[in-house]
Amino acid sequence: MTRQLDEQIVGRFPVGQRLRVLDVGMGQGTQALRLARAGHQVTGLEQDATMVAVARESLAGEPEGIRERMRIIEGDGRDTGVHFLPGSFDVVLCHGVLMYVEEPDPLLAGLARMLAPGGLLSLLVRNGDALAIRPGLSGDWSGALAAFDTVSYRNRLGLDVRADRLKDLTSTLAGIGAPLHAWYGVRVFTDTAADGAQAPADVETLLAAEEKAGRTDPYRGVAALLHLCGVRG
């Protein structure tokens, strides 16, 4: 996904431009820190106090210049209008968040309002059109059959969450003024790998195969996750 995001940023903004980035639901700050290290001005928004503490600890270990380029706010991604003015950011990230939001449309509309004209909205969501793949490949036939008719599922943390369908999100993005510009699949081949599994010796070849599949039909359509990039009109 990082390679996909960088491709979109490089293709949309002049080389060397310092972008204003908002990472909503930043978790431990991995992506936010990466972009701050690349020279961008990054704001991370996260409601989980434990994750905020981890992100702040990681930031504290960075050189002063990077610390000055990144700020961390503890708050709910649905309240972006409380913290920021419309059009404040060139890039807004919302990765791995929508599955925990029962009604995502208001959140998405708020994220779109944060974008300056021509700004990039990057979403990472569970693929509602491929929920049967994981149980099917694991031999859970009843689970696979049930997954065809729902966008609800139980994740590996044991939480009941939801997925999104490409068609529905395409319509939503058009409706909030940030129509879909590009989309990719993420975790086409590796979704069934055990948590904590050791990376293979040829990890670069694995990543190359995943990256290729993530931009190639029909493979990307059955990926575990979808990476959607909308552009503010």
Side-chain angles (χ1 to χ4, degrees):
M1 188 198 67
T2 292
R3 296 181 183 184
Q4 298 163 357
L5 177 61
D6 286 348
E7 176 182 78
Q8 291 300 313
I9 289 175
V10 169
R12 177 143 299 275
F13 301 101
V15 175
Q17 180 178 342
R18 179 173 291 186
L19 302 173
R20 301 164 298 166
V21 180
L22 174 63
D23 189 352
V24 174
M26 69 169 183
Q28 62 186 10
T30 302
Q31 197 68 248
L33 271 172
R34 186 186 73 85
L35 291 170
R37 292 179 187 129
H40 303 302
Q41 195 73 35
V42 182
T43 299
L45 184 63
E46 173 60 54
Q47 67 175 346
D48 187 289
T50 300
M51 288 292 98
V52 168
V54 172
R56 285 179 172 156
E57 183 178 358
S58 297
L59 181 60
E62 295 289 329
E64 181 180 357
I66 295 174
R67 296 199 306 270
E68 291 175 348
R69 287 197 295 271
M70 182 171 168
R71 62 172 172 160
I72 298 170
I73 298 174
E74 188 171 344
D76 194 311
R78 290 168 290 193
D79 297 330
T80 49
V82 174
H83 301 286
F84 317 110
L85 293 174
S88 295
F89 298 96
D90 304 300
V91 178
V92 173
L93 313 179
C94 186
H95 297 162
V97 174
L98 290 193
M99 55 274 289
Y100 299 103
V101 180
E102 187 173 347
E103 296 291 341
D105 287 3
L107 168 63
L108 290 171
L111 298 184
R113 284 193 294 271
M114 294 301 103
L115 284 171
L120 178 69
L121 175 60
S122 175
L123 306 174
L124 184 70
V125 304
R126 182 69 174 169
N127 184 4
D129 292 319
L131 287 181
I133 296 292
R134 183 188 291 175
L137 291 178
S138 301
D140 177 6
W141 310 120
S142 60
L145 284 171
F148 283 103
D149 300 315
T150 183
V151 291
S152 299
Y153 69 103
R154 178 161 292 182
N155 66 13
R156 288 177 173 174
L157 299 176
L159 300 175
D160 292 321
V161 288
R162 50 173 297 282
D164 289 281
R165 299 187 187 278
L166 177 63
K167 180 180 178 181
D168 295 336
L169 277 179
T170 299
S171 177
T172 298
L173 289 172
I176 62 177
L180 185 65
H181 174 72
W183 70 277
Y184 308 86
V186 176
R187 288 196 344 222
V188 177
F189 302 126
T190 57
D191 185 55
T192 57
D195 292 337
Q198 187 174 359
D202 57 345
V203 65
E204 286 301 320
T205 305
L206 180 154
L207 290 173
E210 281 282 1
E211 185 178 8
K212 180 70 172 179
R215 62 178 69 246
T216 304
D217 291 323
Y219 305 101
R220 63 176 181 167
V222 296
L225 304 169
L226 297 179
H227 180 199
L228 294 86
C229 298
V231 174
R232 182 71 174 175

